[in-house]
Amino acid sequence: MKEYGIYIRQYSGTPYMIHIYDNITSAKLKLYEMIQLDEERQKPYFVDNDFYNNKYNISIKLKYYCIKEREVSEWKNYSEEKNNRENDNKIIFLNFNKKVLTK
């Protein structure tokens, strides 16, 4: 099962994800709605997906959109025994070297 989200970066700011959907059609509809709002406000934007023909060239001075997808797995039963078995195979190395301060 796949999950879709809209990735946004405003100008050179920190990127963030919004609106997580379980199908691509809903994600595209929301993206087109957000683009329409930018069009009405006459703000430049860039969509980094192959299904969209961009009006503007990519640069730092615009709003960047991208629909991203990821695979979501099914729920599994929690098991402490399984977690303990996975941790048993790990080796932890500790650094016992101490720096001695001399006067």
Side-chain angles (χ1 to χ4, degrees), residues 1-9 15-28 30-31 34 46-51 58 64-72:
M1 186 168 98
K2 292 196 177 199
E3 184 175 73
Y4 303 89
I6 300 174
Y7 176 92
I8 299 173
R9 185 184 69 233
Y16 56 94
M17 294 280 292
I18 60 168
H19 304 294
I20 305 302
Y21 298 99
D22 59 352
N23 63 55
I24 189 65
T25 306
S26 299
K28 282 183 178 180
K30 184 61 179 178
L31 177 65
M34 293 165 57
F46 184 83
V47 179
D48 195 8
N49 291 103
D50 59 356
F51 61 83
I58 190 166
Y64 174 88
Y65 295 106
C66 183
I67 293 180
K68 297 200 178 256
E69 70 177 354
R70 69 177 181 173
E71 193 67 37
V72 180

Side-chain angles (χ1 to χ4, degrees), residues 36-85:
Q36 181 63 35
L37 189 60
D38 284 343
E39 287 280 338
E40 290 173 7
R41 296 177 179 171
Q42 298 178 349
K43 292 184 176 183
Y45 59 88
F46 184 83
V47 179
D48 195 8
N49 291 103
D50 59 356
F51 61 83
Y52 191 81
N53 293 325
N54 287 294
K55 190 182 216 182
Y56 304 99
N57 291 329
I58 190 166
S59 71
I60 293 176
K61 303 275 185 194
L62 51 68
K63 197 171 195 178
Y64 174 88
Y65 295 106
C66 183
I67 293 180
K68 297 200 178 256
E69 70 177 354
R70 69 177 181 173
E71 193 67 37
V72 180
S73 63
E74 294 297 321
W75 289 97
K76 296 178 183 176
N77 290 342
Y78 172 75
S79 171
E80 285 190 9
E81 290 177 10
K82 180 182 174 188
N83 289 340
N84 288 337
R85 273 187 267 129

